[in-house]
Amino acid sequence: MILPLLTEGGGGGWLMVNLKYRPRRLRRTENLRRMVRETYVTKDDLLYPLFVTEEAESSEIASMPGVSRLTLDDLCRKVETVAELGIPAIMLFGIPTHKDEWGSGGYSDDGIVARAIRAVRKTVGSAVTICPDVCLCEYTSHGHCGIIEGAEVDNDSTLALLQQTAVCYATAGADIIAPSDMMDGRVAAIRSDLDMYGFSHIPIMAYSAKYASGFYGPFREAVDSTPQFGDRRSYQMDPPNRREALREIALDIEEGADIVMIKPGLAYLDILRDAREFCDLPLAVYNVSGEYSMVKAAAHNGWIDEQRVVTEILTGFKRAGADIILTYHALDYARWLSQAS
Ligand code: PBG
């Protein structure tokens, strides 16, 4: 190949290059691209988060088009669709009608999530893996993820309630326990109680590196869990920190985590890649509510092609090292895959 050559001072000339390797050769047709494609996101990679409400009617979440707070009946219908589409797992978040200082709706046997676990199990059997989120913030009147002592969220008294919540969900039939509270020592505490009550076979998926993020905004609207005072920065991680994420992951592994999670996803892909290189446990990433809402809003305005952008985002997570992708796009993505095959 002959290339034009510009030299300093304005002179020119020609340069002969023998391009032995031309990357474009393998991009020429779709079949060639398929043959050398390195990363695929399949249905097996998806975990679909769902909201279950104690209200009498399901209601749409304004900032998350396509996502609703579901009654038990509607939840069961939705999970049937999840099973039909071949998505392996769901996460459950509860929205109680009554909240109190101790978040008791989270760990009582007739609390909304315990009931939802039993109802879903009855509807789809073991076709869908049930993975409840364990945290107090959806159930506390003040909206924090733990017990308030003075002006602070008290770590150690919160642990006992998280343990109760985990055992309550395991008793109801949960397959995986996923603590998202960011209290220190919660994985060890939950592991020890699960083992003590006969649930040594139930894995823990720890939200290990969970950052104090503005991207949770729509979720907090959905479950009405915006803290009544202060914010979550005294327990969730400071966004600029990278090494600290690896310390959190190391701690959770030591305490008995079976799967570790990075959350949010898009602004933290470097952390995901670091985690992939740092540990050999299965790695999850949470494509959170704000990330979903941005895509939906832009797609709604016709500014982006939703299917293309969602596929690119999910592929980015997988390429960065994720084994499990928690995403509100799961149903749409699984449908697109079915249409393509
Ligand atoms: C509960 C919890 C939150 C999310 C998952 N579990 C909210 C928070 O920490 O404020 C956020 C999920 C999302 O934004 O999609 N602690």
Side-chain angles (χ1 to χ4, degrees):
M1 185 167 76
I2 301 171
L3 293 174
L5 181 72
L6 288 177
T7 52
E8 236 171 295
W14 300 98
L15 177 72
M16 274 292 286
V17 201
N18 183 10
L19 277 182
K20 283 203 180 115
Y21 178 57
R22 290 174 179 262
R24 287 185 53 185
R25 282 184 196 127
L26 295 178
R27 293 180 201 143
R28 204 167 48 83
T29 69
E30 178 56 12
N31 270 347
L32 283 167
R33 290 191 292 271
R34 279 172 62 204
M35 288 166 71
V36 298
R37 191 159 292 151
E38 299 172 29
T39 311
Y40 286 90
V41 177
T42 73
K43 294 175 184 182
D44 300 336
D45 304 316
L46 304 175
L47 201 162
Y48 185 44
L50 287 163
F51 299 96
V52 56
T53 179
E54 242 166 7
E55 303 279 351
E57 304 270 328
S58 295
S59 56
E60 283 179 11
I61 300 162
S63 55
M64 300 176 72
V67 180
S68 297
R69 307 173 191 88
L70 301 167
T71 60
L72 280 180
D73 285 349
D74 287 345
L75 172 73
C76 290
R77 268 191 286 277
K78 186 65 109 185
V79 181
E80 278 175 334
T81 309
V82 169
E84 278 158 25
L85 282 169
I87 295 170
I90 57 164
M91 169 159 282
L92 286 177
F93 294 101
I95 308 164
T97 44
H98 172 74
K99 304 193 185 208
D100 61 30
E101 236 175 288
W102 304 277
S104 60
Y107 42 88
S108 78
D109 265 348
D110 59 357
I112 184 63
V113 167
R115 280 159 57 207
I117 293 168
R118 291 192 291 266
V120 167
R121 180 67 72 219
K122 212 166 136 196
T123 310
V124 293
S126 56
V128 174
T129 292
I130 307 172
C131 174
D133 177 271
V134 168
C135 191
L136 297 186
C137 65
E138 294 120 78
Y139 310 95
T140 50
S141 43
H142 45 73
H144 275 291
C145 302
I147 295 299
I148 305 295
E149 301 269 359
E152 305 249 324
V153 174
D154 187 64
N155 196 88
D156 297 6
S157 55
T158 300
L159 294 182
L161 300 183
L162 296 170
Q163 289 172 300
Q164 270 190 54
T165 310
V167 171
C168 168
Y169 294 168
T171 308
D175 297 294
I176 300 178
I177 295 296
S180 71
D181 51 281
M182 289 303 277
M183 296 302 121
D184 294 334
R186 79 271 167 75
V187 173
I190 288 173
R191 183 72 272 159
S192 119
D193 260 31
L194 286 176
D195 291 354
M196 188 159 73
Y197 286 96
F199 298 109
S200 57
H201 56 292
I202 300 293
I204 295 176
M205 176 165 76
Y207 287 70
S208 300
K210 176 173 176 180
Y211 288 88
S213 169
F215 285 100
Y216 309 149
F219 174 96
R220 292 186 190 163
E221 181 215 313
V223 307
D224 188 23
S225 73
T226 305
Q228 297 301 302
F229 62 92
D231 53 41
R232 301 207 205 294
R233 280 181 244 213
S234 77
Y235 41 102
Q236 298 180 348
M237 284 182 54
D238 199 20
N241 292 358
R242 180 177 173 193
R243 295 187 306 263
E244 190 188 351
L246 300 183
R247 285 204 296 280
E248 281 281 7
I249 291 171
L251 265 176
D252 282 358
I253 294 174
E254 212 177 291
E255 292 181 30
D258 300 280
I259 301 170
V260 294
M261 194 199 296
I262 309 299
K263 177 186 173 191
L266 286 178
Y268 300 87
L269 287 175
D270 57 329
I271 310 296
L272 190 56
R273 169 49 57 184
D274 283 346
R276 175 71 298 151
E277 272 152 29
F278 171 78
C279 81
D280 54 11
L281 285 190
L283 202 54
V285 65
Y286 202 137
N287 178 209
V288 300
S289 56
E291 298 170 339
Y292 175 84
S293 301
M294 292 195 305
V295 169
K296 281 291 185 181
H300 177 77
N301 279 298
W303 295 336
I304 56 170
D305 174 336
E306 181 172 348
Q307 179 170 348
R308 232 183 123 177
V309 165
V310 169
T311 303
E312 197 171 324
I313 288 174
L314 301 185
T315 305
F317 292 139
K318 187 90 186 273
R319 196 184 58 236
D323 301 294
I324 299 169
I325 304 170
L326 293 93
T327 180
Y328 304 100
H329 297 292
L331 278 195
D332 287 338
Y333 185 77
R335 285 200 185 101
W336 296 331
L337 285 183
S338 310
Q339 283 160 11
S341 61

